[in-house]
Amino acid sequence: MAMKDYSDEFKAYAVALYESTPGAIYKSIAADLGINRATLREWVLRDRERRGVTSSSAKPGAQPRQAVPSVDPDERVRQLEARVAELEASERKLATERDILRKAAKYFAGGDELVRSRFQFVDDHRSTYEVKRLCQVLDVNRSSYYKWLAGAEARTMRQREDRILAEEIREIHSESGGAYGSPRVTAELRENGRRVNEKRIARIMRTFSITGIRLRRRVRTTVPDPATSPVPDLLQRDFTDTEPGRKCMGDITNLPLAGGQFLYLATVLDCFSRKVVGWSIADHMRTSLVADALRMAASTRGGLDGAVFHSDHGAQYGSRAFADLCDQLGVTRSMGAVGTSADNAACESFHASLKRETLHDTHDYGDASTCRRTVFAWLTRYNTRRRHSANGHLSPNAHEHRHHTAKLTLAA
């Protein structure tokens, strides 16, 4: 039999059913519930240990026979008849409770598919048993049940609204290539005029199994050059700025192709908006790869004179040719510590997002042409549409546009 996780409620009802059944054995109760005998026994013993109850006193069994005082024969018959009636009523009560507990245990065993409340169980079985008895056995307040029942219409309406909202979420999620989680979906909905709470969006996404793409393991591409001269770390892990074009950061990542081959992508991100201002793809990792990306960044910004460019200690960034290019563009170089990925974490995170949102759990991009087209499309969409948490869930272009608009307003 396959292993199964049982909810705490299921375990509690199973134990209560066993304990409330005089003379019951583990095998019969376990068979009723469709579980293993040893499993039920373990639950019962653990519950008794928690309550500090010994095995001998745990189950209600036969009570010690009490001596009947010697009285008038007719009076003694009446006493015995009353005792029999009392025992029969008690047995009926116990039988009803056992039946309720047996059904409750099976009912809550389906918790993997649907989280059902005890109120729902009471409502589903109220035509068979008294509501009072159901509430007593399940340990719920009867007035709370009726309050829950009165809110049925409102719950139905909320469920209907959740289904409608789930369709909107699914559409946004699909347009993002399956990449967006609840924060970006929430931002998109709010921009579309929806007044929504992120916790609600996260709950609906969980309920309807709508999930963003998870991180993949990173492959190292940094190869330090021991012959390079020291370059200071001018960012100190501060990957932000108050103006665009003043601080940039760059890195290289591999793009896997079919047959074990690779292309390589070098990018330049602006620290202000995380915009991709420069990028280059090649089938090598020579200095020209990162140099082309930096030249594109200078062209995009209309020059980088006075800007700081931060990178890791890859040999390409430490080469004499790249240092000369930085001097020509008026760029000051900055590098993190050797072997410390956290000193270039923003770029690492960017490349991780690119791969998980374009590879979609596949191992490679296929051929080189497909890879170039896929990466180009994602980089373009990243700047124009993809929401970034560092920008208050605005795209890099939207974030820069808002910044420029605010400056013009202040100047006026």
Side-chain angles (χ1 to χ4, degrees), residues 153-276:
E153 184 176 347
R155 280 195 306 279
T156 301
M157 185 175 297
R158 282 197 300 271
Q159 291 168 358
R160 188 183 306 117
E161 291 173 352
D162 283 354
R163 286 194 295 271
I164 294 172
L165 187 53
E167 289 305 311
E168 296 181 41
I169 292 172
R170 197 170 273 117
E171 183 177 349
I172 293 171
H173 185 258
S174 177
E175 288 180 356
S176 73
Y180 279 8
S182 58
R184 290 188 175 93
V185 169
T186 303
E188 190 79 27
L189 287 167
R190 286 173 178 169
E191 188 166 291
N192 293 341
R194 270 282 206 172
R195 297 182 62 184
V196 290
N197 182 283
E198 187 187 330
K199 290 183 179 179
R200 184 187 178 195
I201 299 302
R203 174 181 58 79
I204 293 174
M205 291 181 72
R206 283 194 304 271
T207 301
F208 290 87
S209 300
I210 306 171
T211 57
I213 300 173
R214 291 179 172 83
L215 277 170
R216 298 171 62 88
R217 234 181 132 179
R218 177 182 174 270
V219 178
R220 183 170 179 248
T221 55
T222 302
V223 181
D225 184 353
T228 57
S229 56
V231 175
D233 183 353
L234 302 178
L235 266 60
Q236 295 295 319
R237 301 187 185 181
D238 178 10
F239 307 114
T240 63
D241 202 359
T242 57
E243 291 290 336
R246 299 196 308 192
K247 285 165 59 176
C248 296
M249 48 191 170
D251 198 6
I252 303 172
T253 192
N254 64 68
L255 305 172
L257 306 178
Q261 302 299 310
F262 291 94
L263 290 180
Y264 300 93
L265 169 69
T267 51
V268 179
L269 306 182
D270 192 297
C271 289
F272 170 72
S273 62
R274 306 296 170 86
K275 179 175 180 174
V276 186

Side-chain angles (χ1 to χ4, degrees), residues 355-392:
K355 288 186 179 181
R356 71 174 181 266
E357 294 179 19
T358 54
L359 283 171
H360 297 292
D361 291 326
T362 57
H363 296 291
D364 59 68
Y365 291 95
D367 57 58
S369 297
T370 301
C371 177
R372 289 175 183 272
R373 286 195 305 270
T374 301
V375 173
F376 168 76
W378 190 87
L379 292 174
T380 303
R381 189 180 185 282
Y382 173 89
N383 281 343
T384 59
R385 294 192 59 191
R386 188 182 183 280
R387 297 179 181 276
H388 203 298
S389 57
N391 298 335

